[in-house]
Amino acid sequence: MGIKTALPAAELGLYSLVLSGALAYAGRGLLEASQGGAHRKAFRESVRPGWEYIGRKMDVADFEWVMWFTSFRNAIIFALSGHVLFAKLCTMVAPQLRSWMYAAYGALAVVGTMGPWYLLLLLGHCVGLYVVSLLRQPWLCLGLGLASLASFKLDPLISWQSGFVTGTSDLQEVLFHGGSGFTVLRCTSFALESCAHPDRRYSLADLLKYNFYLPFFFFGPIMTFDRFHAQVSQVEPVRREGELWRIRAQAGLSVVAIVAVDIFFHFFYILTIPSDLKFASRLPDSALAGLAYSNLVYDWVKAAVLFGVVNTVARLDHLDPPRPPKCITALYVFAETHFDRGINDWLCRYVYDHVGGEHSAVIPELGATVATFAITTLWLGPCDTVYLWSCLNCFGLNFELWVQKLAEWGPLARIEQASLSEQMSRRVRAIFGAMNFWAIIMYNLVSLNSFEFTELVAQRLLLTGFPQTTLAVLFVTYCGVQLVKERERTLTLEEQKQDKEKPE
């Protein structure tokens, strides 16, 4: 009730004004804090000279981002440009061999980056899961896949296998974990799809062509085997009308996002400030709330840029890769919270949906979420921080279902329908959405930043700042949730209109 109801335009305008003003106010506080702390001793390691011609320093606390766009930038451009070039030539000359070209180029890139012994190590895992897939036992395939994943996450096997890597790249460790982890997930997807479709005879060559597709190899996103195989097997792929324009637009957006992040880090030190708790504790409540929120937004932008670049190349290859993750600003339910849509699809297809069914019963849903987050914990690498993150998000996802069941309970549903108009019902639900939004932020801030910083934010917003700061932050968030709901309502109406206009 109230989900599809429109609110008065004046009310939505007020929400926009409040949200814009609050973001500007919090941003001003963060800008002043960044300028004031630029010369602190604690900032010296992660705030370094940037644009010298305007005298600005830059936040370089995220070493992965810095590596991608400094020392590792040329290697990324060279590898992906070579892939695009050879893929285009192969598509023009021998389109039936393009999947072989993808695999050969990807394998050569892996050898050049990580060494031949690392390639042989991954081939061993691929062959092992391929052999097990011939038995057509899903539980055995999933079990071996999880065992292989554990071997790349737990000592002493991880230390032994990392010895197969040769080279001196600064991102060697990141590439090792990324390439190995995604290889196991892809091989497990191949094995499970082979079990699900016994009438289809997939070969080891199909698995290798799937695994060594370079744009997806190290950092994802992951496509399930059935989707990848169906798309890459098209002998004469045809682009949809306007597809090239959309590819160029996506590439342009990725470049704009990279430049925007670079500019942002010259003025806002959002990754360095949380590492200095003494300094962070002096921030105004509004700036501290904005700092917590901006950390999650940055992680989404980072994922969107990475997948945007990779997806642009994949779409040039006539593939339809998973979309970038949904913006954290538009999230107010745990069920839609994920930073990697490919891994989310993989988990839903092979674990979450399989165990939870329709996700309407409490006990099966609890079992599904526990199983899903157990595998997610293994994927991220077991440690205290990941354990805490998994428990909090597992609880949040189940608590949502419990509240939903309570709201649908006969007496409460009748009270809502009898005493609340549809517009008021939407407002009440948005209040719960605002509280849920901050639960999502706090639960994920634990892993994206630190437990100590999360504890500081929670204490300031809920205890020392109560009730003024607590209510102010919730009201601003409520305004944002209402605007997101309005956008969702508008998009739904547009989709329904387009469906009606389609010829039968």
Side-chain angles (χ1 to χ4, degrees):
M1 181 178 176
I3 301 300
K4 299 180 181 179
T5 305
L7 294 179
E11 182 177 346
L12 293 173
L14 176 63
Y15 293 155
S16 300
L17 183 62
V18 170
L19 182 62
S20 301
L23 290 176
Y25 185 71
R28 179 184 176 185
L30 280 177
L31 179 61
E32 293 175 350
S34 299
Q35 291 175 336
H39 300 287
R40 289 176 61 86
K41 291 182 179 180
F43 285 19
R44 287 180 180 175
E45 291 296 324
S46 53
V47 177
R48 297 180 181 178
W51 294 340
E52 296 181 358
Y53 50 86
I54 62 171
R56 299 295 310 184
K57 292 187 175 183
M58 180 181 180
D59 190 338
V60 294
D62 187 349
F63 81 97
E64 285 185 1
W65 181 272
V66 174
M67 287 292 181
W68 288 345
F69 300 108
T70 53
S71 59
F72 207 62
R73 176 188 58 203
N74 293 336
I76 293 175
I77 295 175
F78 177 78
L80 292 182
S81 298
H83 173 90
V84 172
L85 177 61
F86 284 109
K88 184 62 177 178
L89 290 175
C90 188
T91 302
M92 294 171 60
V93 177
Q96 70 277 10
L97 299 177
R98 67 190 185 104
S99 59
W100 281 106
M101 192 286 303
Y102 295 157
Y105 185 86
L108 289 174
V110 172
V111 170
T113 306
M114 308 292 284
W117 292 109
Y118 177 71
L119 178 65
L120 291 177
L121 173 67
L122 296 187
L123 286 174
H125 284 273
C126 292
V127 171
L129 276 160
Y130 171 73
V131 171
V132 171
S133 71
L134 298 177
L135 302 177
R136 299 292 191 268
Q137 296 294 328
W139 65 270
L140 190 59
C141 295
L142 183 60
L144 181 60
L146 295 179
S148 296
L149 183 61
S151 72
F152 286 111
K153 301 295 181 180
L154 302 173
D155 278 323
L157 289 177
I158 184 176
S159 300
W160 174 69
Q161 292 183 105
S162 63
F164 285 81
V165 178
T166 58
T168 58
S169 171
D170 293 330
L171 280 179
Q172 206 86 60
E173 184 177 354
V174 176
L175 295 177
F176 171 78
H177 287 289
S180 305
F182 279 111
T183 289
V184 171
L185 292 188
R186 284 187 288 262
C187 292
T188 305
S189 175
F190 170 88
L192 292 173
E193 293 298 333
S194 296
C195 296
H197 305 285
D199 55 316
R200 304 174 187 174
R201 296 294 178 179
Y202 298 125
S203 65
L204 178 61
D206 292 325
L207 172 57
L208 297 181
K209 288 187 284 187
Y210 169 50
N211 184 61
F212 288 101
Y213 179 69
L214 182 62
F216 294 165
F217 183 80
F218 286 112
F219 300 113
I222 184 171
M223 290 178 66
T224 55
F225 174 75
D226 58 322
R227 290 184 57 205
F228 180 88
H229 183 72
Q231 294 174 25
V232 82
S233 299
Q234 297 178 11
V235 178
E236 296 183 359
V238 179
R239 296 195 187 279
R240 292 173 294 179
E241 184 178 355
E243 180 69 12
L244 283 177
W245 182 89
R246 287 189 288 269
I247 292 174
R248 287 193 291 265
Q250 183 178 22
L253 285 175
S254 298
V255 173
V256 169
I258 293 170
V259 174
V261 170
D262 195 72
I263 295 173
F264 185 86
F265 278 161
H266 279 83
F267 292 91
F268 298 91
Y269 305 148
I270 61 170
L271 302 181
T272 296
I273 292 176
S275 64
D276 188 350
L277 293 179
K278 184 177 180 181
F279 182 74
S281 63
R282 300 173 186 170
L283 295 178
D285 291 347
S286 59
L288 189 63
L291 181 62
Y293 166 73
S294 60
N295 267 258
L296 262 74
V297 172
Y298 165 68
D299 195 73
W300 169 78
V301 171
K302 180 179 174 181
V305 168
L306 173 62
F307 295 141
V309 172
V310 171
N311 287 358
T312 298
V313 177
R315 291 170 70 183
L316 286 172
D317 293 335
H318 301 275
L319 298 180
D320 184 19
R323 292 174 296 164
K326 191 174 181 179
C327 179
I328 183 65
T329 304
L331 294 176
Y332 56 89
V333 290
F334 279 91
E336 297 180 359
T337 303
H338 50 263
F339 294 92
D340 188 326
R341 199 180 293 269
I343 292 179
N344 180 76
D345 293 344
W346 191 97
L347 289 169
C348 287
R349 183 176 180 86
Y350 301 122
V351 183
Y352 185 59
D353 292 341
H354 181 74
V355 178
E358 297 181 357
H359 306 294
S360 57
V362 173
I363 300 302
E365 178 70 4
L366 179 61
T369 53
V370 170
T372 301
F373 278 102
I375 295 176
T376 305
T377 299
L378 181 61
W379 164 256
L380 295 175
C383 64
D384 292 342
T385 299
V386 175
Y387 294 148
L388 178 60
W389 174 87
S390 293
C391 290
L392 290 174
N393 282 273
C394 184
F395 167 77
L397 191 57
N398 281 279
F399 187 71
E400 273 186 354
L401 178 62
W402 302 339
V403 173
Q404 179 184 347
K405 289 294 183 183
L406 184 62
E408 294 173 353
W409 183 47
L412 287 181
R414 287 192 293 270
I415 292 174
E416 179 186 12
Q417 190 171 13
S419 58
L420 297 178
S421 65
E422 292 190 352
Q423 289 184 343
M424 187 56 65
S425 176
R426 169 173 163 171
R427 297 185 182 104
V428 172
R429 290 171 183 265
I431 294 175
F432 288 99
M435 292 187 288
N436 216 34
F437 180 86
W438 274 99
I440 292 173
I441 289 180
M442 301 303 291
Y443 290 177
N444 286 280
L445 200 60
V446 171
S447 63
L448 296 179
N449 206 288
S450 67
F451 175 78
E452 292 75 17
F453 177 67
T454 306
E455 185 180 24
L456 172 64
V457 175
Q459 184 178 9
R460 288 282 295 276
L461 298 187
L462 299 177
L463 298 178
T464 58
F466 185 84
Q468 292 90 347
T469 300
T470 307
L471 295 178
V473 169
L474 281 179
F475 177 67
V476 172
T477 309
Y478 165 84
C479 295
V481 170
Q482 287 288 24
L483 294 175
V484 171
K485 282 178 172 286
E486 185 63 23
R487 175 171 172 76
E488 291 175 348
R489 189 189 70 85
T490 303
L491 291 176
T492 301
L493 292 177
E494 290 179 354
E495 291 176 358
Q496 292 175 352
K497 183 179 178 181
Q498 291 176 358
D499 291 340
K500 291 180 180 179
E501 292 177 352
K502 289 182 180 179
E504 298 182 359

